[in-house]
Amino acid sequence: MSNGADHASANEDGSLGNAASHFTTEAGGTPAGPGRYVNVDGLTPVEFLPGLGFRPVLGQQAMTNFVTFEPGAVAPRHVHEEEQIVVVIEGEFTFDLDGDVRTMRKGDVAVVPSWVPHGAWATDTRCVEIDVFAPPRTSLLKLAEAQASGAADGLAPGAGGQAAAAEQAGEG
């Protein structure tokens, strides 16, 4: 097993990284807040468009959005300021990354820089993917905050239903 010293140099010690620096217990700042656990299956998906379910989870400086594309669902071509990383975890869909159109399947990843046009659509299969946004996606903040508030208030998974979550998110 290599200690990293045999590889191209990126650090002063000639390694690309090491476990000691990666898993340090030395705080370089003040914790931004308490951590929390979220059961994504307990979040009520909100459909911004037919067949396109969103379940965002908000962090301090990033956001994940667990997205379900039902067969035939379309996320129209769009742009936004936030960087986005798309990870397919189940099924497949077609992704348009600034005119480079590809079928993405489980394990495929697309990296979408700020303001780059992109869109996606499912054909005859369902697709589940995770979007990672940095900073958090502005248009999803109200929904993510409503989801987090519901969990913090001790609501049962899915309590309030889709209409209530959409109303809390300002979508209804």
Side-chain angles (χ1 to χ4, degrees):
M1 186 146 70
S2 172
N3 65 4
D6 300 333
H7 301 288
S9 178
N11 292 337
E12 290 178 15
D13 66 359
S15 70
L16 293 175
N18 62 55
S21 65
H22 184 81
F23 296 105
T24 184
T25 57
E26 300 293 323
T30 303
R36 70 184 196 283
Y37 293 99
V38 177
N39 181 331
V40 175
D41 292 335
L43 298 177
T44 302
V46 173
E47 286 191 339
F48 275 25
L49 294 169
L52 190 59
F54 291 171
R55 295 177 294 168
V57 177
L58 182 60
Q60 294 289 325
Q61 297 180 40
M63 171 188 286
T64 57
N65 187 25
F66 295 79
V67 182
T68 302
F69 282 76
E70 295 301 335
V74 176
R77 191 172 167 98
H78 60 283
V79 297
H80 45 77
E81 180 177 10
E82 303 85 1
E83 181 175 22
Q84 177 179 355
I85 299 174
V86 179
V87 183
V88 177
I89 60 172
E90 178 185 314
E92 67 179 43
F93 70 166
T94 304
F95 199 84
D96 174 357
L97 180 58
D98 199 18
D100 182 357
V101 179
R102 300 183 185 195
T103 300
M104 293 181 62
R105 295 176 179 86
K106 182 179 179 180
D108 288 339
V109 176
V111 178
V112 184
S114 298
W115 303 118
V116 171
H118 60 285
W121 58 94
T123 54
D124 59 349
T125 62
R126 181 175 190 261
C127 180
V128 179
E129 54 102 346
I130 300 170
D131 292 332
V132 179
F133 294 103
R137 180 80 196 271
T138 304
S139 64
L140 293 173
L141 280 176
K142 287 182 183 177
L143 174 58
E145 289 165 352
Q147 297 279 30
S149 171
D153 293 340
L155 292 177
Q162 184 172 334
E167 183 179 331
Q168 286 178 331
E171 300 298 324

